Amino acid sequence: MSTLSFVDPDEIRTQFSRAMSEMYKEEVPLYGTLMELVAETNKKVLESNKAISDYLKRTGEIERLEMERHGAIRVGTPEELATIARLFAVMGMQPVGYYDLTPAGVPVHSTAFRAVHEDSLQSSPFRVFTSLLRLDLIENEELRRLVEIILDERQIFTPNALALIEKFESNGGLDAKDARDFIDEALETFRWHHDATVSAKEYQRLHDQHRLIADIVAFKGPHINHLTPRTLDIDMIQDGMPQKGITPKAVIEGPPRRACPILLRQTSFKALQETIVFTDQNNSATGNHTARFGEIEQRGAALTPKGRKLYDTLLNAARAELGEFPSESNAEKYTQLLEKHFKEFPDTYAELHDKGLAYFRYFPTQQGIASRSNSYRPSSRQDLIAQGRIQYEPIVYEDFLPVSAAGIFQSNLGDDSQAHYSGNSNQDDFEKALGQKVTNELKLYADTQRRSLLECSTILAVPPLV
Ligand code: OOG
Ligand code: NI
């Protein structure tokens, strides 16, 4: 078979992300309402803020804005995780980063499946935050055994999805028809099923251990539990939600509002209570389950290890001074504390750049191209910047933040479910389950930065810049 007839994995991901959004809008109508609010807000920002709109046009981000979203799923076994990795690979998504959620009392560890090259991210930035249940943290042996038996019996992939994954792997791609079928079949894994696979009593036992365990174990598959569009002004969304009949979580996770956004700010609306049917019930006798919600994010610059260290220090300082978990009752105080502590974090792109706090992409300027000469020997990239031959823009942070993710989990599990796990972070176990190593996200940003510098040196005909 010729590779010419294969559909580009970036294209499969784009279409899959769209199909997933359509399905979720139907399943959770409030997500549709949230999408409308995001579209209205982004439009307002683009109309009133020329600097942002110019910036998004310059970097091409304006084209991915509408498509921008991430989702999240939770799987139960190493086998499910390994097969999910193969399914996402068909769409050009690789596991990036390792997140340990146990310090926040959530018995999972996670990665994010996403595209890794800047060109692929540009065509579709769709990511899926994927968590694996840590069965080793369930202390009750009998319950652990029950979980194993239930999970052993389920198959979360359709036979056709599995066949198409194999076809992709052996042929190196899928043609147009197979790609279309693959999207339909893959979607089934993420669909909501209102009939549980356990009895009411079993559900209660799982739920009593941890609400998340019931969500992972009691259903036919790892239903998508939220989808998240990207907004240009998350504070405006947080304030606008109640007017649309949406209840936001108490605080926005991540850094405070800034002139130069960094990393990721997130908020969500609380999970909905949904009717489910247990195996020992029928449609007239039903139970309830709370799991699915909507989230919104605002993304900013990716930070270098030095920048990230400063971020973690300031965030921890603000939280330590608050002295308790951020909640409705201390939300205002938390915002003030964040703002106070983050005054230490430089808030101009020039400082973020010169102090090595964030990653940047470099572009040759018109002037640089016009004055290109083979005899010019710059001593550093700072020279070229000072002479106006190259320019830079921050690289968007494509990943997640463990403290924020924990806050999102918690707000949707209810505040009554704080558990304490003594087990430690176990990236090795996670990678064994996954069947591969996760990519270090910082390396990807450094690679993108380096590639852009090399491109500048080629275009400007100067020796390779570092
Ligand atoms: C995942 C929560 C984390 C995020 O955006 O940080 C997350 C989950 O609830 O399964 O999605
Ligand atoms: Ni999320």
Side-chain angles (χ1 to χ4, degrees), residues 72-214:
I73 57 165
R74 304 150 184 173
V75 297
T77 65
E79 294 73 28
E80 288 179 355
L81 182 68
T83 311
I84 273 288
R86 293 169 58 210
L87 179 142
F88 284 137
V90 176
M91 305 186 239
M93 297 159 84
Q94 310 296 328
V96 178
Y98 173 77
Y99 304 88
D100 175 22
L101 277 303
T102 52
V106 183
V108 300
H109 43 184
S110 321
T111 190
F113 286 93
R114 66 166 176 90
V116 295
H117 192 284
E118 57 271 21
D119 296 343
S120 295
L121 286 162
Q122 188 64 26
S123 54
S124 168
F126 183 56
R127 325 158 181 81
V128 180
F129 191 90
T130 303
S131 302
L132 172 66
L133 173 64
R134 284 188 66 178
L135 209 53
D136 56 308
L137 297 180
I138 302 181
E139 268 165 21
N140 181 331
E141 205 169 309
E142 204 195 321
L143 187 74
R144 210 164 53 221
R145 194 67 211 117
L146 174 70
V147 168
E148 272 168 356
I149 293 169
I150 298 170
L151 290 176
D152 229 32
E153 274 172 16
R154 78 176 185 187
Q155 170 53 277
I156 64 171
F157 305 97
T158 69
N160 281 341
L162 292 172
L164 287 164
I165 292 171
E166 272 166 33
K167 193 165 179 184
F168 172 86
E169 288 169 349
S170 52
N171 294 351
L174 294 180
D175 66 19
K177 179 179 180 308
D178 283 344
R180 262 196 316 275
D181 290 347
F182 171 79
I183 291 168
D184 290 345
E185 298 285 342
L187 215 50
E188 290 308 307
T189 297
F190 305 96
R191 191 180 290 288
W192 171 250
H193 300 277
H194 91 299
D195 37 344
T197 56
V198 298
S199 68
K201 215 159 143 210
E202 284 168 335
Y203 178 90
Q204 203 51 49
R205 282 190 66 197
L206 297 167
H207 186 279
D208 289 350
Q209 180 69 206
H210 199 296
R211 280 171 62 167
L212 191 73
I213 298 180

Side-chain angles (χ1 to χ4, degrees), residues 113-340:
F113 286 93
R114 66 166 176 90
V116 295
H117 192 284
E118 57 271 21
D119 296 343
S120 295
L121 286 162
Q122 188 64 26
S123 54
S124 168
F126 183 56
R127 325 158 181 81
V128 180
F129 191 90
T130 303
S131 302
L132 172 66
L133 173 64
R134 284 188 66 178
L135 209 53
D136 56 308
L137 297 180
I138 302 181
E139 268 165 21
N140 181 331
E141 205 169 309
E142 204 195 321
L143 187 74
R144 210 164 53 221
R145 194 67 211 117
L146 174 70
V147 168
E148 272 168 356
I149 293 169
I150 298 170
L151 290 176
D152 229 32
E153 274 172 16
R154 78 176 185 187
Q155 170 53 277
I156 64 171
F157 305 97
T158 69
N160 281 341
L162 292 172
L164 287 164
I165 292 171
E166 272 166 33
K167 193 165 179 184
F168 172 86
E169 288 169 349
S170 52
N171 294 351
L174 294 180
D175 66 19
K177 179 179 180 308
D178 283 344
R180 262 196 316 275
D181 290 347
F182 171 79
I183 291 168
D184 290 345
E185 298 285 342
L187 215 50
E188 290 308 307
T189 297
F190 305 96
R191 191 180 290 288
W192 171 250
H193 300 277
H194 91 299
D195 37 344
T197 56
V198 298
S199 68
K201 215 159 143 210
E202 284 168 335
Y203 178 90
Q204 203 51 49
R205 282 190 66 197
L206 297 167
H207 186 279
D208 289 350
Q209 180 69 206
H210 199 296
R211 280 171 62 167
L212 191 73
I213 298 180
D215 184 61
I216 296 176
V217 179
F219 297 90
K220 284 182 189 153
H223 40 257
I224 183 95
N225 67 51
H226 67 279
L227 276 183
T228 308
R230 175 175 170 190
T231 176
L232 297 174
D233 190 334
I234 198 160
D235 299 286
M236 211 191 267
I237 300 270
Q238 180 84 348
D239 295 344
M241 274 200 266
Q243 282 149 37
K244 292 260 183 193
I246 310 173
T247 312
K249 81 188 267 304
V251 298
I252 295 176
E253 299 290 343
R257 189 178 180 89
R258 298 163 46 89
C260 303
I262 52 169
L263 298 173
L264 175 63
R265 299 182 73 207
Q266 297 162 283
T267 183
S268 61
F269 65 75
K270 297 251 167 109
L272 311 169
Q273 199 176 68
E274 297 176 280
T275 306
I276 56 171
V277 184
F278 297 113
T279 48
D280 52 347
Q281 291 179 328
N282 56 39
N283 274 322
S284 54
T286 56
N288 289 314
H289 182 70
T290 326
R292 301 188 309 151
F293 57 99
E295 188 191 33
I296 315 92
E297 64 187 19
Q298 180 170 11
R299 290 188 176 263
L303 299 185
T304 60
K306 184 181 169 197
R308 179 55 185 268
K309 199 158 161 242
L310 181 58
Y311 169 80
D312 286 336
T313 305
L314 300 179
L315 184 74
N316 288 340
R319 291 194 166 225
E321 194 174 337
L322 187 69
E324 52 191 1
F325 276 109
S327 67
E328 259 93 11
S329 62
N330 59 27
E332 211 167 303
K333 178 150 180 239
Y334 180 59
T335 308
Q336 283 164 7
L337 286 174
L338 268 186
E339 276 165 9
K340 178 179 110 181

